């Protein structure tokens, strides 16, 4: 229980929040009223308008099965210790559909059967479930949207509910979908006699806490309707980036590129001091991306010097920087949710040795050739580009004397990963999307040769 002094402070904070709310309705995330330097008029999140979010939901609803209920939970909170939180990042699907950035919420779409309760083909209703406002919580963490704030700023064209009502409201939605799927009493009746099964679309692994709160509904639903994953429906839309998304991604990429240049410029002096660790370069990169507007890193920095570069996701960053070594850095910033992802390798001494230059230029040549092959021609895909890169890498390694012409399969020893992945609201965006799709959305091309030192002829290169 709160002490009298704490209750008094909470009440004072709540009055302040309510006073501000009368003019700006401050919520946990930036709005045009509270942060005009970040959010423009008509935008829900920086760079993305209310109209665009509404359009995204409409397009998704048109692709959902008739007689379905789709549920999109928020990402869970992650803790550093028992009561210290990591910086929160919203679930990409929920972010994409409505732009609400608070935890412990969920978005749902109900798409009724045609003819049920006067519904027309394509009709859908959207529901957002949020944490209510709480003066005691506001004292510690600042304001959150609550029902009124979410209705005003996020989902003015749908219904907003307290999160505690989600099991009941969703059960009513599911029951309506199941009832609509049942054959009518007479053939040719208003609902028709041959309904498909109703559908519940939900990804149970996204937020275990929300999944547990809905477990009675999910268990009951499994007995009477088809249960499917929701994320693949959204990922089909997220693959194609809008003009606003491309602008945000371009800013993230530019910030990361500039941060790389500054980090490279500092690295030679850091290595020359003899007592500096890889983590110094990680810290410089993070600082420089945040100077350029990124709110956080897209993922932890990989700063792998010397032999550490053979580990694809090396994140210890605790080895000494040594002149003469190469350093591989894999890093990116997140700009209002949109990720950059860049890998570069350079010599800490400022110049390559002949062997280092041979390998570097071979990989660079493959990288540039693959970039030239990128086409939005209905045939090119990430997979076809990857296969091209393997052939070119094999030719490069043969020319260096590292592999023989018949050793195509050995390329994977030096190049064990894919050429890249989709980028967007996640650094490995739309993970369910096939890389064989004959189109090329924004993606990351990553070309770096594993600097293995073979025990055989490779060791002397």
């Amino acid at each position: 229980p709160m002490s009298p002094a704490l209750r008094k402070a909470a009440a004072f904070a709540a009055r302040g929040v309510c006073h501000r709310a009368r003019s700006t309705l401050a919520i946990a995330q930036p709005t045009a009223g509270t942060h005009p330097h970040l959010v423009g008029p008509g935008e829900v999140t920086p760079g993305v308008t209310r109209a665009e979010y509404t359009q995204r939901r409409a397009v998704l609803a048109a692709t959902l099965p008739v007689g379905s209920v789709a549920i999109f939970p928020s990402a869970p909170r992650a803790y550093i210790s028992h009561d210290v939180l990591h910086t929160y990042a919203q679930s990409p699907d929920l972010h994409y559909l409505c732009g609400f950035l608070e935890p412990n919420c969920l978005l749902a779409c109900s798409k009724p059967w045609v003819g049920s309760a006067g519904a027309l083909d394509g009709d859908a209703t959207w529901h957002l479930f949020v944490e209510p406002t709480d003066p005691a919580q506001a004292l510690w963490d600042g304001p959150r949207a609550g029902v009124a704030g979410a209705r005003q700023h996020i989902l003015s064209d749908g219904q907003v509910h307290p999160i505690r009502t989600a099991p009941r409201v969703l059960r009513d939605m599911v029951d309506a979908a199941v009832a609509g799927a049942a054959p009518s009493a007479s053939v040719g009746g208003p609902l028709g006699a041959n309904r498909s099964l109703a559908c519940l679309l939900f990804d149970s692994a996204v937020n275990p806490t929300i999944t547990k709160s809905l477990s009675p509904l999910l268990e009951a639903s499994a007995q009477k309707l088809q249960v499917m994953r929701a994320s693949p429906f959204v990922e089909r839309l997220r693959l194609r980036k809008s003009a606003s998304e491309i602008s945000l991604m371009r800013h993230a990429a530019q910030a990361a590129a500039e941060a790389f240049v500054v980090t490279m410029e500092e690295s030679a002096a850091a290595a020359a001091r003899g007592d500096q660790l890889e983590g110094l370069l990680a810290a410089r990169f993070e600082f420089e991306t945040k100077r350029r507007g990124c709110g956080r890193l897209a993922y932890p920095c990989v700063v792998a010097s010397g032999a550490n570069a053979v580990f694809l996701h090396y994140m210890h960053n605790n080895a000494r920087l040594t002149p003469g070594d190469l350093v591989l850095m894999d890093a990116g910033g997140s700009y209002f949710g949109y990720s950059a992802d860049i890998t570069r390798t350079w010599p800490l001494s400022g110049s390559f040795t002949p062997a280092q230059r041979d390998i570097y230029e071979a990989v660079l040549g493959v990288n540039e050739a693959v970039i030239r092959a990128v086409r939005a021609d209905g045939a090119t895909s990430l997979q076809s580009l990857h296969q091209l890169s393997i052939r070119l890498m094999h030719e490069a390694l043969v020319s260096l004397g590292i592999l023989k012409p018949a050793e195509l399969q050995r390329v994977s020893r030096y190049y064990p990963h894919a050429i890249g992945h989709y980028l967007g609201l996640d650094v490995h965006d739309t993970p369910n999307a096939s890389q064989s799709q004959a189109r090329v959305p924004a993606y990351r091309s990553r070309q770096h040769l594993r600097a293995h030192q073979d025990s055989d002829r490779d060791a002397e290169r």
Side-chain angles (χ1 to χ4, degrees):
M2 297 174 64
S3 68
L6 193 56
R7 279 198 299 271
K8 183 176 180 180
F12 178 80
R15 286 197 298 273
V17 169
C18 292
H19 175 74
R20 292 192 299 273
R22 281 193 287 271
S23 56
T24 63
L25 199 56
I27 63 176
Q29 66 193 72
T31 67
T34 60
H35 294 71
H37 54 291
L38 298 178
V39 185
E43 293 179 348
V44 174
T45 54
V48 184
T49 64
R50 183 186 304 273
E52 180 166 340
Y53 280 113
T54 300
Q55 178 66 14
R56 291 175 183 179
R57 292 193 295 273
V59 172
L60 176 66
T63 70
L64 296 177
V66 177
S68 65
V69 175
I71 302 172
F72 305 95
S74 60
R77 294 181 176 96
Y79 287 83
I80 299 173
S81 63
H82 78 283
D83 60 354
V84 179
L85 290 160
H86 281 285
T87 301
Y88 185 71
Q90 186 56 278
S91 160
D93 285 348
L94 193 149
H95 184 155
Y96 177 83
L97 290 171
C98 71
F100 192 51
L101 305 182
E102 294 185 19
N104 197 28
C105 66
L106 64 86
L107 181 70
C109 178
S110 175
K111 185 173 180 179
W113 299 101
V114 178
S116 57
L120 300 175
D121 187 16
D123 276 0
T125 57
W126 288 89
H127 302 255
L128 180 61
F129 299 84
V130 304
E131 286 270 24
T133 55
D134 180 351
Q137 168 272 333
L139 173 65
W140 295 94
D141 303 324
R144 61 188 177 210
V147 171
R151 183 179 296 118
Q152 176 178 336
H153 292 290
I154 308 297
L155 198 72
S156 58
D157 59 337
Q159 300 180 37
V160 182
H161 316 265
I163 186 68
R164 66 176 180 274
T165 68
R168 174 181 57 79
V169 176
L170 292 173
R171 184 180 63 248
D172 291 345
M173 293 161 60
V174 168
D175 288 347
V178 172
S184 61
S186 60
V187 176
L191 297 182
N194 296 306
R195 287 289 194 189
S196 301
L197 281 174
C199 295
L200 176 65
L201 291 80
F202 179 66
D203 293 271
S204 59
V206 172
N207 189 320
T209 300
I210 288 179
T211 298
K212 183 177 180 180
S213 72
L214 299 178
S215 57
L217 169 68
L218 298 174
E219 292 167 5
S221 297
Q223 307 300 318
K224 53 188 177 182
L225 79 175
Q226 185 179 6
V227 179
M228 307 165 58
R229 294 190 60 203
S231 187
F233 289 86
V234 190
E235 289 189 6
R236 295 188 194 109
L237 308 184
R238 286 172 48 202
L239 265 176
R240 300 294 296 270
K241 309 307 185 203
S242 68
S244 63
E245 290 181 294
I246 291 171
S247 177
L248 291 165
M249 293 175 70
R250 183 175 287 116
H251 189 113
Q254 184 66 29
E258 293 176 6
F260 257 94
V261 171
V262 175
T263 304
M264 288 177 178
E265 291 171 346
E266 180 170 315
S267 64
R273 288 198 291 270
D275 61 351
Q276 299 299 303
L277 306 184
E278 296 158 331
L280 173 69
L281 303 187
R284 169 58 69 182
F285 178 85
E286 181 173 2
F287 172 73
E288 295 296 336
T289 56
K290 289 184 174 179
R291 282 187 65 186
R292 292 161 173 80
C294 292
R296 58 180 176 84
L297 292 173
Y299 53 95
C301 291
V302 173
V303 183
S305 61
N308 293 326
V310 303
F311 306 113
L312 296 180
H313 288 164
Y314 170 87
M315 295 181 184
H316 301 301
N317 299 345
N318 56 10
R320 280 186 174 175
L321 299 171
T322 304
D325 279 347
L326 298 180
V327 59
L328 179 149
M329 187 166 177
D330 179 353
S334 176
Y335 185 69
F336 298 114
Y338 285 85
S339 299
D341 184 350
I342 299 174
T343 297
R344 291 293 181 270
T345 301
W346 68 93
L348 285 169
S349 62
S351 60
F352 290 104
T353 66
Q356 289 171 346
R357 182 173 294 280
D358 285 346
I359 296 293
Y360 183 89
E361 289 186 346
V363 177
L364 179 61
V366 175
N367 175 264
E368 292 176 340
V370 172
I371 290 173
R372 289 193 297 270
V374 174
R375 299 285 187 277
D377 57 4
T380 304
S381 67
L382 276 180
Q383 182 60 24
S384 69
L385 294 173
H386 178 65
Q387 293 303 318
L388 172 63
S389 73
I390 291 175
R391 294 195 299 273
L392 295 174
M393 189 67 74
H394 175 249
E395 293 172 5
L397 294 175
V398 169
S399 70
L400 291 170
I402 295 173
L403 292 181
K404 296 177 180 179
E407 293 182 319
L408 179 62
Q409 297 302 318
R410 288 198 70 210
V411 171
S412 63
R413 172 172 174 77
Y414 306 94
Y415 178 27
H417 50 75
I419 192 173
H421 50 77
Y422 300 118
L423 270 174
L425 282 169
D426 201 348
V427 66
H428 290 170
D429 205 44
T430 60
N432 297 298
S434 170
Q435 297 205 349
S436 297
Q437 295 186 69
R439 55 183 178 178
V440 185
Y443 74 101
R444 170 198 180 216
S445 175
R446 61 181 182 190
Q447 287 276 354
H448 58 270
L449 189 69
R450 298 186 77 193
H452 276 291
Q453 294 186 343
D454 253 1
S455 58
D456 53 18
R457 64 184 181 280
D458 303 349
E460 299 304 317
R461 294 296 311 176

